[in-house]
Amino acid sequence: MMIEPDTKDWTWVLERACFDCGFDAAAVQRDRVGALLRDNVALWPPLLSHARANARPNDHTWSATEYACHVRDVFKVFDGRLQLMLAEDGAAFPNWDQDATAIEDDYASQDPANVANDLAVAGTALATRFDSVPDDAWSRKGVRSDGAHFTLGSFATYLLHDPTHHIWDVEQGYATLDEAAAT
């Protein structure tokens, strides 16, 4: 079943806390970005070992596995963008259509255990790269294909919201599945 593409501009999370997941970009310290990514990575294996990891809670919400595939790919894309920002101040990010990737890579049929492993590898690599960002690089700039501008610091906090929010999405999805099973 097709999920409606996400057309929201999520850059607002850089200005105020997320009303759903509670992520607060203002609370992120740049020397903790790598550790926060590793903390997030550690939350995924139990979620993906759930018996209903491939079950969608409703017609318009991804399964835990699909969310994890997306997070894995976000880690990979952001690692490439981070490398680009470190190499070139003012870097223009290549476009990435996350919804096309979900369809082309058939997120819905991927094995949760493999996804958990791949997510851990990608997330750990990205965390390690953030650990190595020099102090004088945090103000470097990058621009997304839709015109959104970032410093390396705002790029890091913007990134951190995504996997944090998707943990919340998965927990909400499991709660919905539990409610449906109880009725």
Side-chain angles (χ1 to χ4, degrees):
M1 199 169 292
M2 183 79 160
I3 301 290
E4 185 175 322
D6 184 2
T7 57
K8 296 176 191 168
D9 178 3
W10 287 94
T11 56
W12 62 265
V13 301
L14 296 172
E15 299 166 6
R16 63 185 183 277
C18 181
F19 47 84
D20 288 329
C21 71
F23 178 83
D24 184 3
V28 175
Q29 298 172 347
R30 68 182 189 202
D31 63 337
R32 298 263 313 127
V33 172
L36 293 169
L37 283 168
R38 286 182 192 86
D39 290 349
N40 182 275
V41 165
L43 297 173
W44 286 98
L47 294 172
L48 292 169
S49 67
H50 193 286
R52 292 181 289 189
N54 285 334
R56 288 184 172 170
N58 53 50
D59 292 344
H60 58 274
T61 306
W62 275 345
S63 69
T65 302
E66 290 169 294
Y67 276 118
C69 287
H70 169 72
V71 169
R72 172 202 62 208
D73 290 349
V74 163
F75 289 158
K76 291 176 182 179
V77 167
F78 274 69
D79 194 18
R81 290 177 176 179
L82 174 57
Q83 291 177 61
L84 192 58
M85 288 179 83
L86 291 170
E88 175 187 344
D89 194 10
F93 305 145
N95 189 41
W96 178 51
D97 185 334
Q98 63 187 22
D99 299 307
T101 301
I103 294 165
E104 291 166 9
D105 291 351
D106 195 11
Y107 283 1
S109 68
Q110 293 195 25
D111 177 76
N114 291 339
V115 173
N117 183 63
D118 294 345
L119 185 152
V121 169
T124 302
L126 181 56
T128 300
R129 191 163 327 274
F130 269 110
D131 289 342
S132 69
V133 170
D135 286 340
D136 64 351
W138 288 96
S139 62
R140 294 179 74 82
K141 295 177 176 53
V143 63
R144 203 168 54 190
S145 61
D146 67 356
H149 287 78
F150 298 90
T151 64
L152 205 147
S154 66
F155 171 82
T157 53
Y158 177 77
L159 158 68
L160 284 167
H161 173 256
D162 192 87
T164 302
H165 194 95
H166 292 319
I167 291 287
W168 179 85
D169 285 327
V170 168
E171 290 170 344
Q172 297 302 305
Y174 282 147
T176 299
L177 287 168
D178 289 345
E179 289 172 17
T183 58

